[in-house]
Amino acid sequence: TAAAQTPPVGKPFSFRGVELGITIDQFRAFPVVADDGQVDLRARCNDVGGRDSFDEINFADKADGIVSCQWFGRSGNYDSSLFVDLGAGKVLPVFDFIDVAGTKRLFRIRSFANSEYYPAILDVLTRGYGAPRKSTAPFKTMAGAEFTATTSRWSNGLSGIQLSEPCHQLKRYCLTYRHGAFGKVYDALVE
């Protein structure tokens, strides 16, 4: 096992090389990551062509001017959004951009997927950034069953990562990378 690292200082966190805070043009120029052999790789954003075919689009955010992007590829005859590896886990990333002084900047990367990947993602983040701050809270299903949700957090002063399980549904995790300063712009917009 690799020794735990400390979170990067002086720059925001990045996901598979995509650093929080970059412009949407820099994101579009970034090579799409594909780990499962897809072809015809591309980024698709909901600010072009009005297409809203994302798995995790937030229509309230879109109404507030947030642009969401996902990576897509072709497997056989079908287009699909891309799951990418994060350690031994799988992540379906959505990249969210907010207007900062007239330029769209990446303020959040989020994923919501099956809990089977949660232990591997927790492991790779812990090996990469050290032990997280953990908290627990009650989680109640719509049917009334009660569970405990665990949230792990990492911070480097400029950005943060939050991994929660379960999240929204019993067999799901949520992973969010968030830029500190640009996240505050989002918070003010939502208020």
Side-chain angles (χ1 to χ4, degrees):
T1 339
Q5 304 292 316
T6 55
V9 177
K11 63 182 191 171
F13 285 115
S14 63
F15 171 82
R16 296 292 303 264
V18 178
E19 186 175 294
L20 289 167
I22 65 170
T23 67
I24 197 166
D25 291 335
Q26 290 170 315
F27 172 78
R28 285 184 169 125
F30 193 86
V32 173
V33 174
D35 295 319
D36 292 329
Q38 295 91 347
V39 296
D40 191 20
L41 305 175
R42 65 208 169 284
R44 186 183 299 160
C45 302
N46 64 0
D47 65 335
V48 178
R51 184 154 180 170
D52 292 329
S53 62
F54 301 142
D55 294 325
E56 291 296 323
I57 193 163
N58 182 322
F59 289 101
D61 280 355
K62 185 175 181 194
D64 285 335
I66 305 303
V67 174
S68 297
C69 302
Q70 278 188 271
W71 287 332
F72 287 81
R74 183 174 292 276
S75 181
N77 293 328
Y78 301 98
D79 275 349
S80 63
S81 46
L82 299 179
F83 276 92
V84 296
D85 297 339
L86 186 57
K90 293 284 188 185
V91 177
L92 181 65
V94 178
F95 303 88
D96 293 322
F97 296 82
I98 193 166
D99 187 73
V100 178
T103 302
K104 294 286 187 192
R105 296 241 174 223
L106 181 61
F107 79 97
R108 180 176 61 195
I109 304 166
R110 57 192 165 93
S111 180
F112 172 70
N114 192 294
S115 287
E116 73 182 87
Y117 303 122
Y118 171 81
I121 293 170
L122 178 61
D123 175 65
V124 75
L125 292 172
T126 300
R127 283 187 293 117
Y129 304 124
R133 288 178 310 143
K134 285 192 173 187
S135 61
T136 58
F139 178 86
K140 194 171 189 175
T141 66
M142 291 176 64
E146 294 184 11
F147 297 90
T148 299
T150 301
T151 300
S152 301
R153 292 180 179 86
W154 295 263
S155 177
N156 67 1
L158 296 175
S159 59
I161 300 173
Q162 180 173 305
L163 176 64
S164 302
E165 194 263 342
C167 182
H168 302 303
Q169 296 177 17
L170 188 56
K171 301 279 188 193
R172 299 284 189 229
Y173 76 82
C174 291
L175 174 65
T176 304
Y177 288 60
R178 184 174 145 126
H179 191 282
F182 300 156
K184 289 178 183 173
V185 173
Y186 174 77
D187 293 343
L189 181 66
V190 170
E191 284 180 17

